Amino acid sequence: GRPQRFSYVEQIAGVEKRIDDLECGMIGKHQLLNSALAVSTCQRLINKGWKISPEDIRQGLQRTRLPGRCELFRKDRLIVLEIAHNPASTQALAETLQSDIPDFMSTERKTLILAVCRDKDSSAMFAPLAGLFNSIILTRYIDNPRGRDALDLYELVRPQALVGQDGIVVTISDDPAAA
């Protein structure tokens, strides 16, 4: 994905602080908000005497990467790797897929491969993604004792996966590599 450019502006007690031409290398509007929060944190530290220059902030944002967070791979097709772990992060993923990854919406065949832990709200996590894919493969984690069984996951997401979806294919695979 292309870097997202933005300016940071804050005004406290009538004093404006501004840093222009910032660049967030991560995809999604939520990452712009996270970047602005990081800049705000730096401003608080500067106020406490820390030596952080605008260039330090600029370079820090440009270099920041979160492996597994909306990470794009292109081989013979577009692959998006996301380790979303709660309903808020799957909602952010759904919004990012629709608005910030143009290839996603224009792709005719979209497949979701999903594994979830037992202690997570699988239904709420799946809900924002349900209508975006025409093929869903439910699987499990191999080495995580908290992993939810793929058949159990199917029972939890089946009502959402099949509502109003013509031609959707839901597959269960106990082997993540095969999925």
Side-chain angles (χ1 to χ4, degrees):
R2 291 187 324 263
Q4 302 182 86
R5 296 190 180 284
F6 69 104
S7 292
Y8 176 84
V9 180
E10 76 172 37
Q11 192 163 30
I12 298 177
V15 177
E16 182 178 285
K17 299 218 177 182
R18 178 181 191 99
I19 306 175
D20 290 313
D21 197 33
L22 294 171
E23 195 175 274
C24 172
M26 297 177 287
I27 300 169
K29 289 174 184 60
H30 62 292
Q31 294 298 359
L32 284 176
L33 295 173
N34 289 340
S35 294
L37 179 61
V39 177
S40 179
T41 300
C42 288
Q43 293 298 331
R44 305 289 79 73
L45 293 172
I46 291 166
N47 292 343
K48 292 195 174 289
W50 289 49
K51 303 293 182 213
I52 304 171
S53 72
E55 190 55 32
D56 292 334
I57 293 170
R58 190 172 283 103
Q59 286 182 17
L61 290 174
Q62 287 173 342
R63 294 176 182 165
T64 299
R65 298 290 180 271
L66 292 172
R69 300 316 303 255
C70 219
E71 199 170 358
L72 303 182
F73 300 91
R74 294 183 195 275
K75 298 258 183 194
D76 56 338
R77 70 191 78 173
L78 170 67
I79 298 171
V80 180
L81 173 64
E82 172 59 55
I83 57 171
H85 60 281
N86 59 40
S89 55
T90 57
Q91 179 64 45
L93 172 61
E95 291 169 7
T96 299
L97 290 172
Q98 294 173 82
S99 64
D100 298 319
I101 305 175
D103 293 1
F104 178 80
M105 291 309 289
S106 64
T107 301
E108 186 175 313
R109 192 170 144 238
K110 299 179 211 50
T111 302
L112 171 67
I113 301 173
L114 180 69
V116 181
C117 289
R118 281 192 316 272
D119 58 346
K120 302 294 180 176
D121 186 345
S122 302
S123 296
M125 288 177 63
F126 179 72
L129 302 171
L132 299 179
F133 298 89
N134 46 19
S135 175
I136 300 168
I137 303 171
L138 303 173
T139 190
R140 64 182 180 87
Y141 296 112
I142 292 177
D143 296 325
N144 187 336
R146 293 173 32 230
R148 187 179 296 280
D149 177 76
L151 185 57
D152 183 37
L153 180 58
Y154 173 74
E155 292 302 322
L156 291 169
V157 304
R158 180 172 47 117
Q160 296 166 29
L162 302 178
V163 169
Q165 300 263 353
D166 289 332
I168 189 166
V169 176
V170 180
T171 307
I172 299 170
S173 175
D174 278 331
D175 180 0

